[in-house]
């Protein structure tokens, strides 16, 4: 699990937001505050003409976040950042937070900023948008494993066979999954058995891919969501090492 903001309860991951690649940050331990904070405050800070977010713009956004946390009764739940904007999510006990946030944003000159407040007593934005499910969590496992392979001299870009190791609680469920995996375009490899595990019945799936973060995220996400239909989990993936050319 990768943490951020020097606070151990924050987790970062890559995902899609409004069909654009985005970086998510979420406070993993905030849920206990839900009963006292039924309003969701969103602050969208965007560059003019949708230019890429540079370091100066990011400093302005961080200053806005700190100002809100220091002067308002809000708890920062997380953020979503794409190429040109960062959306900050806060939970607050009172709707007056909107007026206070708008006063803070009115002093911003570099970025286009807007505030939105709505009732979210069930914390749906936190649970369904920000908080990572198993596929989102696994994207950080992909990041770490790719970085480790690169550190040991892997060239990353050449295509090679990626092997996914998935496990299930019962053999009949594994059988149903195998048929679905074939229909989804996976090559099915050898069965695996680990009686010491809670999910003992496994299978190796294969797919040809380069070791790009985006490509692997798509691959593991597809496998995780497919396996979940049969109470299964992705445990790990492996691949052959493709060494960099010594001439490079």
């Amino acid at each position: 699990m990768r943490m951020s903001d020097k606070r151990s309860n924050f987790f970062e991951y890559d995902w899609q937001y409004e069909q654009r690649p985005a970086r998510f940050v979420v406070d993993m331990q905030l849920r206990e505050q839900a009963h006292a904070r039924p309003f969701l405050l969103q602050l969208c800070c965007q560059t003019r003409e949708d230019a890429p977010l540079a370091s100066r713009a990011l400093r302005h956004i961080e200053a806005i976040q700190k100002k809100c946390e220091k002067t308002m009764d809000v708890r920062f739940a997380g953020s979503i950042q794409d190429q040109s904007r960062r959306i900050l999510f806060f939970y607050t006990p009172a709707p007056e937070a909107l007026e206070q946030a708008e006063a803070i944003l009115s002093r911003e000159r570099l970025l286009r900023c807007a505030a939105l407040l709505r009732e979210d007593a069930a914390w749906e934005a936190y649970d369904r948008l920000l908080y990572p499910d198993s596929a989102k969590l696994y994207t950080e496992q992909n990041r770490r494993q790719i970085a480790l392979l690169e550190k040991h001299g892997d060239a990353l870009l050449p295509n090679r066979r990626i092997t996914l190791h998935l496990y299930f609680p019962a053999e009949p469920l594994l059988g149903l999954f195998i048929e679905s995996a074939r229909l989804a375009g996976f090559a099915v490899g050898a069965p695996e058995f680990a009686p010491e595990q809670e999910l003992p019945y496994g299978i190796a799936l294969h797919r040809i891919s380069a070791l790009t973060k985006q490509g692997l995220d798509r691959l593991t996400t597809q496998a995780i969501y497919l396996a979940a239909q049969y109470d299964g989990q992705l445990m790990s993936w492996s691949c052959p090492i493709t060494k960099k050319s010594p001439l490079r």
Side-chain angles (χ1 to χ4, degrees):
M1 182 177 291
R2 183 176 180 178
M3 302 301 178
S4 81
D5 289 359
K6 300 180 181 179
R7 289 174 285 187
S8 61
N9 52 314
F10 278 77
F11 178 71
E12 297 183 23
Y13 62 96
D14 296 319
W15 205 247
Q16 294 277 319
Y17 182 67
E18 296 181 347
Q19 301 181 331
R20 300 165 75 175
R23 187 69 174 166
F24 285 64
V25 175
V26 59
D27 185 340
M28 299 286 283
Q29 298 178 9
L30 192 65
R31 198 64 174 83
E32 62 191 33
Q33 303 263 336
H35 68 284
R37 298 177 180 274
F39 294 95
L40 174 68
L41 175 67
Q42 292 179 222
L43 306 185
C44 181
C45 303
Q46 189 163 4
T47 58
R48 300 184 186 279
E49 299 179 357
D50 291 334
L53 281 170
S55 57
R56 184 183 176 207
L58 292 173
R59 287 195 299 270
H60 277 236
I61 296 172
E62 289 163 5
I64 290 170
Q65 178 183 334
K66 290 178 182 177
K67 185 71 171 178
C68 290
E69 291 181 290
K70 184 177 180 180
T71 64
M72 299 168 54
D73 186 6
V74 296
R75 281 296 304 270
F76 178 63
S79 65
I80 301 174
Q81 178 179 315
D82 61 23
Q83 182 181 15
S84 62
R85 64 180 170 169
R86 182 183 290 179
I87 305 171
L88 306 173
F89 295 82
F90 302 91
Y91 278 93
T92 180
E96 290 78 14
L98 177 60
E99 184 176 348
Q100 295 172 313
E102 288 175 335
I104 293 171
L105 297 181
S106 68
R107 295 189 285 272
E108 174 59 38
R109 296 292 178 262
L110 178 65
L111 300 164
R112 292 185 291 129
C113 298
L116 172 69
L117 185 136
R118 63 181 174 88
E119 188 171 359
D120 186 17
W123 277 41
E124 291 186 359
Y126 180 80
D127 290 333
R128 298 184 182 182
L129 179 61
L130 294 175
Y131 199 90
D133 61 12
S134 58
K136 295 173 182 178
L137 284 169
Y138 209 92
T139 63
E140 286 309 299
Q141 171 66 25
N142 291 339
R143 183 187 298 279
R144 289 195 299 269
Q145 195 160 342
I146 290 170
L148 184 62
L149 288 167
E150 186 175 27
K151 180 180 178 181
H152 286 83
D154 196 294
L156 299 186
L157 290 181
N159 288 342
R160 85 285 304 275
R161 186 177 69 173
I162 310 294
T163 301
L164 307 172
H165 304 275
L166 300 106
Y167 283 80
F168 299 81
E171 199 167 9
L173 291 170
L174 173 59
L176 293 171
F177 169 77
I178 288 173
E179 182 59 30
S180 294
R182 286 197 180 99
L183 293 174
F186 288 98
V188 178
E192 300 172 352
F193 184 60
E196 73 283 0
Q197 294 183 171
E198 184 178 355
L199 305 178
Y201 298 94
I203 192 69
L205 299 184
H206 307 296
R207 178 78 63 82
I208 302 300
S209 175
L211 288 183
T212 64
K213 175 67 164 51
Q214 189 174 31
L216 274 170
D217 286 350
R218 284 196 299 266
L219 180 59
T220 57
T221 295
Q222 182 185 19
I224 287 169
Y225 286 159
L226 186 61
Q229 298 176 35
Y230 305 96
D231 299 329
Q233 295 180 15
L234 172 64
M235 296 300 186
S236 64
W237 59 263
S238 58
C239 67
I241 299 277
T242 303
K243 289 290 187 179
K244 294 178 182 178
S245 168
L247 299 178
R248 293 182 180 178

